[in-house]
Amino acid sequence: MQIEIKIPEHAIITADSEKVTIEHRGLRSFANHGGTGSSTIPYSAIASIDYKKPGITRGHIIIVPISGSEHGGGLGGLDPLYAGSAWSKKNAIIFGKKHQEEMNKLVELINKKIALTNSNITVSSADELAKFKKLLDNNAITQEEYEAKKKQLLNL
């Protein structure tokens, strides 16, 4: 099953059997997210989905990766009103009520794929340690946090 949702002059989000692809388009995406172009995220690299249905304000889907930055570098994160919001995240799609039904189906599909992918993965201590080393190298965790996790994983 594949789902593709087009938000004209803004974004296209596609989910298939292996991955989610987000393609940002136009000036608004460039300003908010820091660029245009596409990013592909395999289900195995997705930690969760932040989903907000549209109401008085727009809704959003943010695909939260297991590691790496979510900030796209655009202007959406500079204004204190929007800092930390979906407007500044590169893996975010902002949408209105007109796309809500499609987005509900998309979120359901992605959550099923994440659950299926995660249930098939067994992570060794070495894999976990490599993941935490990458987080350390990317300055996402401190040396002390890395050492504590290393001791825990190696039963030291």
Side-chain angles (χ1 to χ4, degrees):
M1 178 177 183
Q2 178 172 323
I3 296 176
E4 180 176 273
I5 302 170
K6 295 180 181 182
I7 303 172
E9 297 180 20
H10 179 61
I12 298 174
I13 184 167
T14 307
D16 62 24
S17 61
E18 300 173 6
K19 65 194 174 307
V20 177
T21 303
I22 300 170
E23 183 180 346
H24 289 289
R25 297 176 159 196
L27 185 58
R28 182 171 42 175
S29 285
F30 181 78
N32 289 332
H33 303 287
T36 56
S38 65
S39 58
T40 300
I41 309 151
Y43 294 115
S44 60
I46 299 173
S48 64
I49 297 178
D50 178 3
Y51 178 50
K52 177 189 167 288
K53 294 180 181 180
I56 295 172
T57 61
R58 312 274 261 151
H60 68 251
I61 290 178
I62 303 171
I63 298 180
V64 181
I66 290 173
S67 64
S69 173
E70 293 180 56
H71 189 275
L75 301 175
L78 297 178
D79 186 334
L81 180 63
Y82 296 109
S85 73
W87 291 99
S88 65
K89 307 240 184 317
K90 65 182 176 184
N91 295 333
I93 299 290
I94 312 298
F95 63 95
K97 289 181 181 181
K98 150 178 160 174
H99 295 286
Q100 183 174 348
E101 189 175 319
E102 292 173 296
M103 293 297 184
N104 288 342
K105 290 177 185 174
L106 178 69
V107 169
E108 184 179 331
L109 172 69
I110 294 171
N111 280 328
K112 283 181 183 176
K113 293 291 186 178
I114 293 170
L116 182 62
T117 300
N118 291 342
S119 69
N120 292 332
I121 296 175
T122 56
V123 181
S124 71
S125 293
D127 292 336
E128 279 290 299
L129 195 55
K131 180 174 77 172
F132 280 93
K133 177 65 170 135
K134 184 175 179 183
L135 291 171
L136 174 66
D137 293 344
N138 290 330
N139 295 320
I141 63 172
T142 65
Q143 182 70 38
E144 292 79 23
E145 291 170 318
Y146 172 75
E147 292 299 330
K149 193 64 174 177
K150 180 177 172 182
K151 286 180 183 179
Q152 177 190 359
L153 290 169
L154 298 176
N155 295 320
L156 298 175

